[in-house]
């Protein structure tokens, strides 16, 4: 897998928050501690929202006393969160439903405090390091987009990290390219036909900058650090961004090479230029690719593309064909549509043109890729995963590469999205069309809310996520148990509450209406379910028919017309496992009752289940492929439920 990044933004009309307002809201949060974590969370969430985007950067850059005051108050708020958490583990008798409500409020508080400290303050520091403390508004704005893009790239590197690249269109720069000082900055950067790191192009009214890194061996974060250093030392970019009218658009990529060797010439973004082609002969286009263009060799031959020998990635055909088709059709969007419609394979594509630098074009076809467009503060943030956008916003629109535009035309699968920077952040700035060119308006109901935050996906000091998650397993295990084991008549017993085991389930078990239990899941969740089934079977002493079975086996071979005598326990880390959720739908439609063991609040499974038992605190996300802390927590939850 690879990762796509794009950012478009418009000037913000929101004023920067003042020092007094920021401090007063955080003080109000601290003063509300007697009313519980939810009351503390509210004002902190307000501060987080106010510090997003350019207004937040303007409030913090050059004002270290404000950052220091915020940190001092956050330290107190973190201490309050710790006290709330310890109260849950104090051993006192607390109703199970109250524990879950407190857990949910604690998550809100931790998320908000984390975001202010680790997203807002960190972003402001990084922008100041790039731009300088005395930078003007447009310079701050430009470097903010760069910082946001680098942050997204960092997170997407779990999809592939052998190379990465960032492309900037800068227009409104006001530079006189004939000025000797400017010309000296351009020398040695215009003529590289392979478009390697540091290359620059004069593309109409815009300047095209590209920064790349490629290494077969390295650590997470190495590529973005290399790119950051290149941008920081680029004096031409600094001059271009200093203009009061300058604007910036960013297109980026992190790669897992599948076609073409690992090298800077093969790193994305790539531009349209072909061998022997004079500068400005065709519209200037850059593009990135996730997936594989299976017929790229055929397209090279069909269109006579003259691709430089060292560039062997299939992605090169994208900007070359978009440029040619734009000339043929006289329209960038139609040129892009014709290009992507000619591709075979599962692909996600991003492209931009110097003729319309304030637009980004996206395409998705097939099931192997993802494209998410975050609706942020006067900004569109594009990423291949929802965790790429959540630093800036939880609201997003997702492209659908599988559903046909028309039920009677399955061949029309695939969607194109055109982003208009003049309306960045608003749904009105998105135009969606099908691969066949028909319009697909976006409804407000299609805006989804991400279920993770940057707190969930932070590696901290760990070199990779697997080690982090192994190390966190004891804490996840403990959180799953806390408050749920109580003493009664000198004995310990599990107390899970009506949200986990509804009264209807209790009545069904007591009356004998529920006669069988099936514990389902897929992958490691199914294995964790086996442990719950073995224990439950031992405890009920054959009074119930208890079996563990994969979700697909239950839905494929063991459905009955009437399943009202069955309790299904569905185990899932994410709550979005397709096979498990589809099976839940099928058994519920036949009268079965469902209890979910799940790690994510507000996930699909929690909506489908009659009762829910959360593992850990209800949102302890795993990023690595191997299930570690989630598995142990599922085993603990299964034992409690049994």
């Amino acid at each position: 897998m690879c990762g796509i990044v794009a950012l478009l933004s418009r000037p913000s009309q929101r004023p920067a928050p003042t020092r007094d307002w920021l401090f007063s809201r955080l003080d109000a949060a601290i003063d509300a501690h007697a009313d519980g974590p939810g009351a503390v969370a509210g004002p902190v969430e307000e501060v987080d929202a106010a510090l997003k985007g350019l207004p937040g950067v303007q409030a913090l850059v050059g004002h270290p006393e404000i950052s220091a005051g915020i940190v001092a108050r956050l330290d107190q708020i973190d201490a309050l969160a710790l006290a709330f958490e310890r109260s849950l583990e104090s051993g006192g008798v607390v109703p199970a439903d109250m524990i879950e409500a407190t857990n949910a409020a604690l998550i809100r508080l931790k998320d908000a405090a984390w975001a202010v400290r680790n997203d807002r303050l960190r972003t402001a520091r990084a922008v100041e390091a790039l731009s300088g403390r005395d930078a003007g508004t447009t310079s701050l704005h430009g470097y903010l987009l760069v910082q946001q893009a680098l942050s997204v790239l960092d997170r997407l590197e779990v999809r592939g990290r052998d190379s990465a690249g960032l492309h900037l269109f800068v227009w409104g720069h006001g530079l006189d390219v004939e000025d000797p000082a400017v010309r000296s900055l351009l020398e040695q950067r215009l003529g590289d036909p392979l478009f390697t790191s540091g290359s620059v192009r004069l593309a109409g009214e815009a300047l095209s900058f590209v920064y790349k890194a490629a290494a077969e061996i390295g650590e997470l974060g190495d590529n973005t650090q290399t790119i950051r250093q290149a941008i920081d030392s680029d004096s031409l970019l600094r001059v271009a961004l200093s203009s009061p009218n300058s604007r910036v658009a960013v297109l980026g990529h992190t790669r897992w090479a599948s076609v073409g060797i690992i090298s800077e010439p093969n790193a994305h973004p790539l531009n349209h230029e072909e061998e022997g082609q004079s500068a400005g002969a065709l519209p200037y286009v850059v593009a990135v690719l996730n997936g594989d263009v299976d017929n790229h060799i055929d397209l090279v031959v069909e269109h006579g593309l003259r691709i430089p020998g060292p560039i062997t990635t299939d992605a090169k055909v994208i900007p070359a064909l978009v440029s040619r088709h734009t000339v043929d059709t006289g329209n960038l969007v139609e040129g892009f549509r014709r290009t992507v419609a000619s591709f075979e394979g599962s692909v996600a594509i991003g492209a931009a043109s110097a003729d319309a630098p304030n637009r980004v074009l996206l395409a998705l076809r097939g099931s192997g890729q993802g494209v998410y467009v975050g609706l942020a503060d006067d900004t569109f943030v594009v990423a291949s995963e929802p965790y790429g956008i959540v630093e800036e916003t939880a609201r997003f629109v997702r492209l659908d590469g599988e559903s046909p535009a028309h039920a009677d035309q399955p061949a029309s699968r695939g969607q194109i999205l055109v982003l208009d920077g003049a309306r960045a952040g608003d749904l009105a700035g998105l135009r969606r069309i099908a691969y066949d060119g028909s319009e697909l308006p976006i409804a407000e109901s299609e805006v989804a809310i991400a279920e993770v935050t940057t707190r969930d996906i932070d590696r901290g000091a760990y070199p990779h996520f697997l080690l982090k998650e192994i190390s966190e397993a004891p804490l996840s295990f403990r959180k799953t148990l806390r408050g749920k084991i109580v003493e009664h008549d000198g004995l310990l017993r599990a107390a899970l509450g009506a949200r986990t085991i509804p009264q209807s389930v209790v009545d069904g078990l007591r009356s004998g209406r529920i006669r069988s239990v099936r514990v389902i899941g897929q992958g490691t969740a199914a294995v964790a379910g086996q442990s719950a089934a073995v224990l439950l079977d031992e405890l009920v002493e054959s009074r119930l028919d208890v079996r563990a079975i994969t979700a697909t086996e239950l839905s494929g071979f063991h459905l009955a017309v009437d399943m009202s005598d069955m309790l299904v326990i569905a185990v899932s880390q994410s709550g979005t496992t397709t096979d498990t959720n589809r099976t839940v739908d099928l058994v519920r439609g036949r009268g079965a009752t469902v209890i979910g063991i799940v790690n994510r609040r507000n996930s699909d499974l929690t909506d489908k289940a009659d009762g829910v038992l959360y593992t850990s605190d209800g949102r302890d996300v795993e990023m690595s492929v191997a299930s570690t802390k989630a598995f142990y927590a599922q085993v603990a939850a299964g034992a409690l439920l049994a």
Side-chain angles (χ1 to χ4, degrees):
M1 293 189 295
C2 304
I4 288 176
V5 177
L7 284 106
L8 283 180
S9 187
R10 61 180 173 178
S12 177
Q13 302 303 311
R14 181 167 61 87
T18 65
R19 169 188 178 278
D20 290 345
W21 184 87
L22 291 168
F23 288 178
S24 68
R25 297 314 296 146
L26 293 176
D27 289 338
I30 296 167
D31 292 341
H33 69 275
D35 297 322
V40 179
V44 184
E45 289 169 334
E46 293 176 25
V47 170
D48 176 41
L51 288 175
K52 288 183 177 180
L54 181 61
V57 169
Q58 290 175 309
L60 296 171
V61 169
H63 300 286
E65 76 285 356
I66 296 181
S67 296
I70 290 174
V71 168
R73 289 163 173 83
L74 288 176
D75 289 343
Q76 297 180 63
I77 290 168
D78 287 344
L80 291 174
L82 182 60
F84 290 134
E85 195 149 35
R86 284 176 174 168
S87 70
L88 291 176
E89 301 176 355
S90 63
V93 178
V94 181
D97 292 345
M98 183 177 295
I99 290 174
E100 289 307 328
T102 303
N103 269 333
L106 257 175
I107 286 173
R108 280 183 55 209
L109 174 56
K110 288 181 177 180
D111 283 347
W114 168 276
V116 174
R117 185 190 298 270
N118 296 283
D119 294 339
R120 310 304 152 226
L121 297 181
R122 178 183 59 85
T123 293
R125 288 195 301 270
V127 171
E128 185 171 347
L130 288 168
S131 67
R133 182 172 295 186
D134 299 323
T137 298
T138 56
S139 185
L140 286 176
H141 196 179
Y143 283 114
L144 171 61
L145 289 183
V146 168
Q147 167 56 28
Q148 290 169 332
L150 288 169
S151 192
V152 177
L153 274 181
D154 254 338
R155 296 192 170 103
L156 290 184
E157 277 199 332
V158 296
R159 294 178 61 96
R161 58 135 321 276
D162 57 51
S163 60
L166 214 60
H167 177 272
L168 278 61
F169 272 135
V170 181
W171 66 101
H173 49 76
L175 295 178
D176 178 5
V177 297
E178 300 304 325
D179 182 280
V182 176
R183 176 58 60 176
S184 67
L185 293 174
L186 283 170
E187 287 178 359
Q188 308 300 321
R189 299 182 65 177
L190 291 172
D192 180 6
L194 301 182
F195 204 49
T196 56
S197 188
S199 293
V200 174
R201 297 292 188 270
L202 299 171
E205 298 299 318
L207 283 170
S208 162
F209 295 84
V210 73
Y211 310 91
K212 298 181 179 181
E216 291 187 30
I217 299 174
E219 299 291 338
L220 291 174
D222 287 354
N223 288 337
T224 49
Q225 184 62 31
T226 298
I227 293 172
R228 182 186 298 276
Q229 290 171 353
I231 292 172
D232 184 45
S233 62
D234 192 336
S235 55
L236 178 62
L237 176 65
R238 193 171 304 281
V239 172
L241 293 180
S242 66
S243 167
N245 298 313
S246 69
R247 299 286 303 282
V248 178
V250 184
L251 183 65
H253 188 265
T254 182
R255 183 173 184 242
W256 180 26
S258 55
V259 178
I261 64 171
I262 299 167
S263 66
E264 276 192 24
N266 279 337
H268 311 189
L270 299 108
N271 66 13
H272 77 284
E273 295 170 341
E274 301 176 44
E275 281 188 334
Q277 198 175 77
S278 60
L282 292 175
Y284 188 86
V285 176
V286 292
V288 295
L289 166 69
N290 288 357
D292 297 312
V293 179
D294 293 339
N295 60 331
H296 73 281
I297 295 177
D298 295 335
L299 292 169
V300 169
V301 174
E302 178 185 346
H303 295 278
L305 300 181
R306 302 182 301 277
I307 296 176
I311 300 178
T312 53
T313 172
D314 52 344
K316 179 65 174 179
V317 301
I318 302 170
L321 289 179
V322 171
S323 183
R324 289 192 178 199
H325 286 318
T326 298
V327 172
D328 294 340
T329 63
N331 184 282
L332 173 62
V333 175
E334 177 59 16
F336 182 73
R337 188 198 68 79
R338 288 194 184 184
T339 298
V340 299
S342 70
F343 294 160
E344 297 174 4
S346 174
V347 298
I349 294 168
S353 171
D355 289 346
N358 206 25
R359 283 197 287 179
V360 166
L361 299 94
L362 304 168
L364 182 68
R365 189 173 198 173
S367 60
Q369 317 300 327
V371 176
Y372 299 80
V373 180
L375 308 176
D377 188 37
D378 296 308
T379 304
F380 288 133
V381 184
V382 179
S384 301
E385 297 284 356
Y387 52 73
I389 67 170
V390 292
E391 182 173 321
E392 303 304 326
T393 180
R395 301 176 67 243
F396 66 86
V397 173
R398 180 183 183 182
L399 279 179
D400 182 354
E402 294 186 273
S403 301
H406 312 286
D408 58 342
Q409 296 181 19
S412 65
R413 285 183 173 87
Q415 291 183 352
I416 293 167
L417 198 62
V418 182
L419 281 59
D420 179 4
R423 292 179 286 184
D426 291 342
L427 205 58
L430 303 179
R431 178 194 173 200
R432 184 175 60 187
I433 61 176
Y435 264 43
D436 65 5
S438 56
E439 297 287 336
L440 300 172
I442 303 175
E444 184 68 38
S445 60
E446 295 182 66
V447 178
I449 305 298
E451 297 169 359
V452 296
T453 71
T454 59
R455 184 169 67 89
D456 300 312
I457 55 178
D458 179 63
R459 279 189 295 115
Y462 294 99
H464 49 74
F465 283 103
L466 180 58
L467 180 59
K468 173 180 184 284
E469 287 155 11
I470 290 172
S471 302
E472 289 177 345
L475 180 59
S476 294
F477 193 92
R478 190 175 81 190
K479 286 182 178 179
T480 303
L481 298 178
R482 71 182 179 191
K484 300 183 181 73
I485 300 176
V486 300
E487 184 176 347
H488 183 72
D489 294 336
L491 298 174
L492 297 178
R493 66 178 179 86
L496 300 183
R499 289 188 181 183
T500 297
I501 307 179
Q503 190 61 42
S504 61
V505 175
V506 175
D507 294 341
L509 290 167
R510 282 177 173 162
S511 67
R513 176 182 63 80
I514 295 177
R515 293 180 294 178
S516 63
V517 178
R518 296 293 179 267
V519 187
I520 67 170
Q522 293 295 119
T524 53
V527 178
Q530 291 175 11
S531 69
V534 168
L535 179 57
L536 180 58
D537 187 50
E538 179 180 333
L539 293 171
V540 300
E541 299 176 340
S542 302
R543 287 173 291 173
L544 288 171
D545 174 17
V546 181
R547 301 180 199 174
I549 187 172
T550 63
T552 48
E553 188 177 355
L554 177 57
S555 62
F557 303 103
H558 299 283
L559 294 178
V561 174
D562 182 3
M563 302 178 73
S564 58
D565 65 345
M566 181 179 289
L567 171 64
V568 173
I569 300 172
V571 185
S572 172
Q573 193 276 128
S574 66
T576 59
T577 306
T578 302
D579 291 328
T580 301
N581 287 354
R582 178 58 177 154
T583 301
V584 167
D585 288 337
L586 291 170
V587 299
R588 278 180 58 86
R590 290 160 171 78
T593 304
V594 177
I595 292 177
I597 294 178
V598 63
N599 188 32
R600 289 169 70 176
R601 299 175 188 276
N602 304 316
S603 60
D604 294 345
L605 181 55
T606 63
D607 294 335
K608 298 172 185 293
D610 298 282
V612 178
L613 174 55
Y614 292 109
T615 53
S616 190
D617 58 4
R619 212 197 57 223
D620 196 356
V621 175
E622 272 195 327
M623 294 290 288
S624 67
V625 175
S627 183
T628 53
K629 61 182 180 180
F631 177 79
Y632 302 127
Q634 287 166 352
V635 170
L640 285 174
L641 189 57

